[in-house]
Amino acid sequence: MGKVEIDVAYVAHLARLELNDGEAEAFQGQLDGVLGHIAALGRLDLEGIEPTAHAAPIHNVFRADEPRESVPESDALANAPLAANGLFITPKIVE
Amino acid sequence: MSLPLESVAALRAQLRAGEIRPRDIVAAIRERVEAHNPALNAYVHTDWDAACAEADRADIALPLGGIPVAIKDVIAVRGQPCTCGSGILQGHRSIYDATVIRKLRGAGAIPAGRVNMDEFAMGSSNENSYYGPCRNPWDTSRAPGGSSGGSAAAVAGGLAVVALGSDTGGSIRQPASFCGCVGLKPTYGRVSRFGLVAFASSLDQIGPLAHNVEDAALILGAISGHDPSDCTSVDRPVPDFAASLEGGVKGLKFGVPKEYFIPGMDPAVERAVRGAIDHLAREGAEIIDISLPHTEYAIASYYIIAPAEASSNLARFDGVRYGHRAKDPADVIDCYARTRREGFGSEVKRRILLGTYVLSSGYYDAYYLRAQKVRTLIRRDFDRAFASCDAILTPTAPSPAFRLGEKLDDPISMYLGDVFTIAVNMAGTCGISVPCGFADEGGGRLPIGLQIIGRPFGESTILRAAHHYERTTPWHRERPPI
Amino acid sequence: MKTDYEPVIGLEVHCQVRTRSKMFCGCRTGFGESPNALTCPVCLGHPGVLPVPNREAIVRTIQTGLLLGCQIDEYCKFDRKNYFYPDMPKNYQISQYDMPLCRGGGVTLDRFSFPKDAQDSPEASARKRVHLTRIHLEEDVAKSTHFDTTSGIDFNRAGTPLMEIVTEADIASPEEAFAFLTALRLILVQAGVSDADMEKGQLRCDCNVSVRPRGQKAFGTKCEIKNMNSISGVRRALAYEIARQIEVVSAGGRITQETRRWDDDIGQTSTMRSKEEAHDYRYFPDPDLMPIRTTDGLLEEARARLIELPGARADRYTRDLGVTEYDASVLASDPHLARFFEAAASGASNPKGIANFLLNDLLSALASSEKALSECPVQPADLRELVGLIDAGRINSKQAKEVFREMFETGAAPAAIVRAKGLEQVSDTGAIEALARQVIGAHPGPVQDVRDGKASALNFLTGQVMKLSKGKANPKLASEIIARMIKGDPLVR
Ligand SMILES: [Zn+2]
């Protein structure tokens, strides 16, 4: 991990995040600084170390295939910014 | 009428004696909130009528019967706003109850009021809130800590009996330390996360903030336990925490890690924590030196894992199904991008960008995978340490509460303030912060916290140690000047 | 000389796993409900919710893998695939990245999976195996409906368990693609892992196709045809797209890598997205879900549910039971039919005859009475008995049809019908001898002809006996008796 510069515009687009004026520049410096700090991890020899994805080493946590009540439509759509005929409405999706 | 709002046990005694009714407690809280919340900004939403109605139905025979609990604005309560201190969730009301809420109600408690926080629990000062900063009751020009700043300030300021917070890298313990109350982060998997709006799923855990260790134990007992709705909750028996408080510290062996007493830490903090360690030694505990050698890498790996998970967890805030939506979007992408620009604050944006970056094509192995391996090393540090001691004593934070605005433009310095709490989340174990003294700052006094870190699922041990410490020291009886 | 081009095709098949509830929440899986009626905070991606995997979906996916000869690894996991789309409740899809439930495997293309008009081609009898890359389990997205300026989203389908079955670039023609999908669909339905109802969108397919000069190793530039939902449509779309690509490259042009859509009404593919946005899905292990260990009961349970594949079953009918290849493939392709046949053929001396009677008489009777096989009034054992009566010479095939009609109407056993109708052939030697004596006495001329060795005369005399018996006499027996009486008894005149 050498010196890294984050491509703020690319990453912001991936995250569907428009930035306010000046934010891109401010974030560039701050995030490069954070990545510089993170680069310290490069000093560690991690050969043969297993990654930890979960704090507790358990597996096979499932539920049985048993249907449960769904919520009433009024709940499902209660928070919708825009809804009509039981559907959530968005600007037209162009494939 | 003055009620003993600083003790669940005392309130319960009065309730059972028929001297007060649950709604009297709600009314007393309300009075305090109306008097002091304008200065503290701890509560962001209250519905006292609903709380009173629920209080009237409360069964006082239950362990927490009739006790109101302030809820961090990141935990879902059906019908109540759940905005995570964010603009993007303005107007959103939960359509379901979090498991901890169901459990609290099952124990007779009343979820009453939603308290301030850093937006989506990202921050250590509560300054990253859509509702403006919450303030420290000991000095309102200072931060209450974060992200559960509202929970800590409400409890410490006497605006709540107890509160729920959430802790991803220190978000319960650090504000408890800054505000001079007790805060406990349970072992990962001890408490269900169902209904806790996720920041970093592999690190988040809900826990109590309280005036004293006994109250924290009561709340922890009520909210703990396996939940089939949360795959990461662990199926193991929940001890009676409140019943195991007695027993003292004689025979307990505490480790003191050299990596937690670093150059540049506040001398008042070091003095207070060293004093606490000496006190415990005098009380009969054995103190040994230990080492947690990978401590210095905890922050770096945390600032990969937490933002990475957050970038994915926060993708759902897009203005389609709930929350804020930008006006007159040109198309779907414009709708997303502007909704999220308008809805999220700077710190959230910063972490989404960082997290998106470390997961993006070609960087996964260098960042996320690497951080997960470092996590293994940090966990092993703790495993090794707990082979030779029962609990670990450290400062909770390297300094007392800092001034609002002091670190706002310096994210790295803000991040480094979590140096003593983050490793506990990375290792997935438990920790508690208890008041252990004060720093004199400009004519006022600022609380300092002692952190006691326990083995995974070793909450009983740290509660017992904290309880003994509390009972034999005066700090928790001190009240802020509000 | 004109260059000869060959197509290279790979398929990604999305198939709904048959479960009662969704993949990560308890909402019912269903079709045709009113919009957003089958939703909850989990499948709407509300703040704070967590997924809990449906065990049944995992077992059925492993079961599919075992049926298709896949390798099932001990450890598997769920990952998040991050991309923004309004039909995705969380803007990430829970899927599997580098540790899927199944790897490898394949589907053998049998002749009768090919389209009817291609079943006689050499590729239809090549018994080619199309290899799979992997099968993984993921959650389906919501359904969007498009209006003038807006789109509407219905999350009922969101969170339905979906298997993604990915083939190698192994398929060499639209007909092979057709045969692959037909054979695969049959296996999925028979195993009960999916209803694979294409009209309900339970089986959808993306086709990757490129062309290259025959003999060339390197692949040409591929196009992806998205979201196909009929098998014959896949064949038509691929045929069109291959012809289009060959035309472009033959004229010296270049194929641009793009996503195309198929319009079945006008019979053309067209560009859907030409400038592909670089996909950067930021896969990482889902921290909300624990790893899967298949050796902890899952594999065992999937194994216990294994069925015989239709191809193997057809082979067995041909090899062990002497059924014709065509009859065997028809019987094997329908599990109910196969079950009926096997019950009828069990312990029978002539399974081939049973297959024949089943596929002709019984199926047409069902068809004309609009009954399903499950409502068939004729029991498999009765069919076996009926064919046994024919084989034993106790009724002839014309009588058999009459008996069968009665069986189908009343559900009665064949022997009882034969008795009641007095249909049984008379095989009582004494009775036939009496009739024969009568006939021999009445026809001295033909009797002399028989003595002279004229075969036709014996037939005439037999016919006379049959007439006297009103058709009930066993003709073979009657003929033997007449011959014996004439040749063996000089007193007979
Ligand atoms: Zn659901």
Side-chain angles (χ1 to χ4, degrees):
Chain A
M1 288 196 274
K3 171 144 179 61
V4 274
E5 269 195 15
I6 181 167
D7 182 347
V8 169
Y10 171 72
V11 173
H13 176 68
L14 267 185
R16 297 293 183 270
L17 189 58
E18 200 172 287
L19 299 177
N20 294 318
D21 291 343
E23 272 183 340
E25 296 72 34
F27 290 161
Q28 183 77 57
Q30 290 163 342
L31 293 175
D32 287 345
V34 175
L35 289 173
H37 180 81
I38 286 172
L41 296 185
R43 293 202 299 265
L44 284 169
D45 178 10
L46 298 171
E47 190 67 35
I49 306 289
E50 282 293 311
T52 293
H54 295 96
I58 47 180
H59 57 259
N60 288 9
V61 185
F62 306 129
R63 42 175 270 276
D65 183 24
E66 281 156 12
R68 290 174 50 178
E69 276 304 298
S70 294
V71 298
E73 187 194 296
S74 54
D75 270 8
L77 296 166
N79 287 289
L82 200 58
N85 301 321
L87 298 168
F88 292 89
I89 302 297
T90 65
K92 183 154 184 164
I93 303 165
V94 186
E95 285 175 295
Chain B
M1 177 168 48
S2 172
L3 299 182
L5 293 180
E6 66 292 336
S7 163
V8 172
L11 287 170
R12 302 246 318 119
Q14 295 196 0
L15 281 169
R16 275 189 309 240
E19 293 161 18
I20 56 170
R21 295 163 303 163
R23 66 156 49 227
D24 299 329
I25 306 174
V26 174
I29 295 281
R30 176 181 187 167
E31 205 174 288
R32 295 282 300 170
V33 171
E34 280 168 359
H36 300 292
N37 202 54
L40 293 182
N41 197 24
Y43 283 79
V44 297
H45 175 84
T46 53
D47 184 344
W48 300 117
D49 293 340
C52 277
E54 201 170 329
D56 289 342
R57 293 192 303 270
D59 177 356
I60 60 162
L62 293 167
L64 292 171
I67 303 297
V69 182
I71 308 295
K72 187 176 179 180
D73 192 27
V74 72
I75 297 168
V77 180
R78 187 181 158 79
Q80 292 187 13
C82 179
T83 69
C84 306
S86 179
I88 209 156
L89 278 171
Q90 287 309 302
H92 178 70
R93 283 176 184 265
S94 299
I95 61 168
Y96 70 101
D97 280 328
T99 299
V100 291
I101 298 300
R102 279 199 300 105
K103 283 178 172 278
L104 277 182
R105 286 195 169 126
I110 302 145
R114 304 193 60 83
V115 283
N116 209 345
M117 58 183 285
D118 282 299
E119 185 179 4
F120 287 106
M122 296 177 187
S124 312
S125 67
N126 210 139
E127 289 165 293
N128 307 318
S129 167
Y130 173 82
Y131 304 99
C134 172
R135 290 166 185 276
N136 194 313
W138 291 87
D139 176 349
T140 52
S141 72
R142 289 178 186 267
S147 65
S148 308
S151 308
V155 169
L159 277 58
V161 181
V162 282
L164 289 188
S166 68
D167 190 318
T168 306
S171 281
I172 289 174
R173 292 158 287 157
Q174 184 253 24
S177 166
F178 277 20
C179 292
C181 60
V182 175
L184 184 145
K185 184 208 100 76
T187 309
Y188 188 85
R190 174 66 94 186
V191 177
S192 169
R193 294 187 297 117
F194 187 80
L196 167 68
V197 182
F199 160 17
S201 314
S202 73
L203 303 165
D204 296 342
Q205 196 68 190
I206 296 172
L209 292 99
H211 287 281
N212 56 68
V213 174
E214 186 186 356
D215 289 0
L218 276 171
I219 298 291
L220 180 66
I223 62 175
S224 291
H226 178 241
D227 178 11
S229 301
D230 174 5
C231 295
T232 64
S233 88
V234 177
D235 192 0
R236 57 186 290 158
V238 179
D240 186 342
F241 297 116
S244 51
L245 290 176
E246 304 301 329
V249 295
K250 265 199 194 70
L252 284 183
K253 203 192 264 187
F254 292 107
V256 178
K258 62 173 187 282
E259 292 82 3
Y260 281 66
F261 293 87
I262 50 172
M265 74 188 284
D266 193 292
V269 171
E270 177 155 14
R271 208 178 312 123
V273 174
R274 293 276 186 210
I277 294 168
D278 292 345
H279 175 82
L280 286 165
R282 282 194 302 275
E283 291 293 315
E286 186 183 345
I287 308 291
I288 61 166
D289 288 328
I290 59 163
S291 172
L292 298 167
H294 295 95
T295 301
E296 63 169 311
Y297 300 102
I299 291 185
S301 48
Y302 175 87
Y303 277 97
I304 294 169
I305 289 173
E309 293 181 6
S311 70
S312 175
N313 285 331
L314 269 58
R316 70 187 63 196
F317 302 104
D318 61 2
V320 172
R321 283 143 294 121
Y322 42 76
H324 171 72
R325 178 189 289 192
K327 284 212 164 37
D328 305 321
D331 54 38
V332 172
I333 293 191
D334 177 52
C335 184
Y336 285 158
R338 270 200 302 126
T339 294
R340 291 161 65 80
R341 181 189 79 188
E342 294 164 8
F344 290 139
S346 287
E347 183 59 27
V348 171
K349 287 179 188 169
R350 204 155 30 227
R351 296 204 198 186
I352 288 176
L353 294 177
L354 181 57
T356 304
Y357 172 76
V358 298
L359 288 176
S360 65
S361 178
Y363 294 109
Y364 180 82
D365 286 4
Y367 289 113
Y368 196 78
L369 189 64
R370 209 173 174 80
Q372 285 193 326
K373 290 179 177 178
V374 175
R375 211 174 157 179
T376 305
L377 297 179
I378 293 169
R379 226 179 49 176
R380 283 186 194 163
D381 281 357
F382 280 96
D383 288 347
R384 259 181 223 126
F386 286 123
S388 59
C389 64
D390 300 303
I392 295 169
L393 303 175
T394 78
T396 305
S399 75
F402 47 82
R403 286 186 189 285
L404 289 167
E406 194 179 314
K407 297 187 176 187
L408 207 48
D409 293 322
D410 186 0
I412 295 182
S413 140
M414 186 80 90
Y415 298 170
L416 292 176
D418 296 332
V419 60
F420 298 149
T421 45
I422 274 179
V424 171
N425 300 75
M426 296 295 275
T429 191
C430 58
I432 189 170
S433 179
V434 285
C436 71
F438 288 88
D440 294 316
E441 289 278 351
R445 297 190 311 156
L446 297 174
I448 294 168
L450 167 72
Q451 178 175 232
I452 311 176
I453 302 169
R455 289 194 180 92
F457 299 98
E459 285 87 353
S460 292
T461 305
I462 59 173
L463 282 165
R464 177 178 138 200
H467 180 69
H468 184 83
Y469 179 77
E470 179 183 85
R471 218 179 44 191
T472 53
T473 54
W475 316 115
H476 72 287
R477 285 193 293 272
E478 305 279 337
R479 292 283 167 263
I482 67 157
Chain C
M1 200 190 110
K2 223 175 132 216
T3 318
D4 184 19
Y5 287 94
E6 63 171 5
V8 177
I9 302 164
L11 301 178
E12 287 167 26
V13 183
H14 291 94
C15 169
Q16 273 187 17
V17 184
R18 195 162 68 87
T19 54
R20 298 196 297 146
S21 63
K22 291 187 182 181
M23 185 63 225
F24 296 111
C25 68
C27 289
R28 270 190 304 116
T29 51
F31 184 76
E33 298 280 340
S34 62
N36 293 302
L38 301 179
T39 61
C40 72
V42 176
C43 57
L44 288 172
H46 266 243
V49 298
L50 294 171
V52 185
N54 185 333
R55 188 173 187 277
E56 187 63 22
I58 293 170
V59 172
R60 286 184 187 223
T61 304
I62 295 174
Q63 191 187 342
T64 307
L66 291 173
L67 280 173
L68 301 183
C70 304
Q71 176 192 324
I72 312 294
D73 290 340
E74 181 175 1
Y75 282 100
C76 305
K77 66 178 167 70
F78 287 109
D79 300 280
R80 292 187 184 178
K81 180 181 183 181
N82 294 283
Y83 67 99
F84 282 80
Y85 211 78
D87 62 11
M88 292 234 298
K90 305 180 289 296
N91 286 321
Y92 63 80
Q93 181 185 30
I94 303 177
S95 181
Q96 298 191 281
Y97 180 51
D98 55 348
M99 293 166 75
L101 283 167
C102 318
R103 289 176 205 277
V107 173
T108 303
L109 308 184
D110 66 291
R111 186 172 146 209
F112 299 102
S113 295
F114 278 80
K116 278 230 161 48
D117 59 6
Q119 287 179 359
D120 293 327
S121 69
E123 69 175 355
S125 28
R127 294 186 69 82
K128 173 171 171 174
R129 189 157 172 86
V130 171
H131 296 91
L132 302 181
T133 312
R134 57 188 278 158
I135 305 175
H136 67 250
L137 185 57
E138 58 188 28
E139 50 178 346
D140 207 347
V141 297
K143 191 167 146 268
S144 12
T145 314
H146 306 297
F147 308 113
D148 281 353
T149 57
T150 59
S151 295
I153 309 182
D154 169 10
F155 287 91
N156 284 351
R157 200 182 66 189
T160 305
L162 210 58
M163 277 189 280
E164 181 170 328
I165 303 169
V166 184
T167 76
E168 297 286 306
D170 241 11
I171 299 171
S173 70
E175 288 68 37
E176 281 188 9
F178 182 103
F180 171 79
L181 290 169
T182 306
L184 175 67
R185 188 175 170 278
L186 192 60
I187 293 167
L188 298 173
V189 172
Q190 291 216 0
V193 293
S194 173
D195 294 330
D197 187 333
M198 299 193 81
E199 290 198 345
K200 293 181 182 168
Q202 292 172 343
L203 191 71
R204 315 192 289 273
C205 168
D206 299 338
C207 313
N208 288 291
V209 55
S210 63
V211 298
R212 63 182 170 192
R214 200 170 292 280
Q216 180 184 304
K217 273 253 157 62
F219 292 134
T221 306
K222 69 173 183 184
C223 291
E224 186 178 17
I225 314 172
K226 277 263 185 217
N227 259 324
M228 303 294 303
N229 52 16
S230 98
I231 295 178
S232 53
V234 167
R235 183 191 184 194
R236 288 191 292 273
L238 283 171
Y240 174 88
E241 179 62 17
I242 290 162
R244 182 192 74 87
Q245 291 190 14
I246 290 175
E247 197 179 307
V248 171
V249 293
S250 308
R254 293 173 71 96
I255 301 294
T256 26
Q257 183 164 349
E258 62 184 3
T259 303
R260 298 178 72 84
R261 76 159 64 79
W262 168 247
D263 186 329
D264 210 28
D265 294 332
I266 58 167
Q268 286 184 4
T269 64
S270 59
T271 301
M272 196 165 146
R273 288 193 291 268
S274 58
K275 215 173 104 242
E276 281 292 308
E277 193 180 321
H279 290 302
D280 194 339
Y281 290 129
R282 290 159 284 135
Y283 281 103
F284 74 106
D286 193 326
D288 291 332
L289 296 164
M290 292 303 182
I292 301 167
R293 188 161 178 231
T294 57
T295 47
D296 253 13
L298 297 167
L299 200 49
E300 209 172 45
E301 192 170 334
R303 266 202 199 106
R305 297 189 194 176
L306 282 189
I307 55 146
E308 186 181 30
L309 287 187
R313 186 182 294 154
D315 287 349
R316 183 164 60 81
Y317 291 171
T318 313
R319 190 182 59 233
D320 299 348
L321 304 178
V323 177
T324 66
E325 201 193 331
Y326 179 77
D327 283 0
S329 95
V330 177
L331 290 170
S333 68
D334 180 334
H336 304 291
L337 198 57
R339 206 170 303 132
F340 193 99
F341 168 68
E342 291 195 17
S346 146
S349 54
N350 181 14
K352 188 179 174 214
I354 292 177
N356 196 25
F357 212 100
L358 173 55
L359 292 176
N360 294 307
D361 302 84
L362 192 135
L363 287 192
S364 66
L366 285 173
S368 54
S369 63
E370 294 182 353
K371 279 194 163 88
L373 187 60
S374 57
E375 306 162 299
C376 180
V378 176
Q379 295 309 304
D382 293 338
L383 182 65
R384 175 170 63 231
E385 192 187 331
L386 180 64
V387 175
L389 289 175
I390 306 168
D391 292 342
R394 292 178 59 190
I395 54 173
N396 57 41
S397 57
K398 198 163 146 252
Q399 290 172 321
K401 286 187 195 303
E402 193 185 334
V403 173
F404 178 75
R405 258 195 310 279
E406 186 78 14
M407 286 164 70
F408 198 83
E409 272 163 31
T410 64
I417 296 169
V418 167
R419 252 195 318 281
K421 293 206 156 209
L423 287 176
E424 190 155 14
Q425 293 185 113
V426 176
S427 300
D428 174 340
T429 315
I432 293 176
E433 273 175 0
L435 295 173
R437 207 166 280 126
Q438 215 178 315
V439 167
I440 287 168
H443 299 285
V447 169
Q448 189 54 48
D449 288 348
V450 171
R451 285 210 183 90
D452 294 346
K454 276 191 189 165
S456 60
L458 182 58
N459 288 348
F460 169 78
L461 294 172
T462 306
Q464 295 304 307
V465 171
M466 292 304 289
K467 211 170 186 175
L468 282 178
S469 75
K470 298 196 178 79
K472 285 191 213 165
N474 181 333
K476 210 170 144 232
L477 194 58
S479 174
E480 279 167 18
I481 287 170
I482 294 166
R484 181 162 46 77
M485 288 175 82
I486 293 173
K487 288 173 181 164
D489 183 357
L491 294 177
V492 175
R493 287 281 175 273

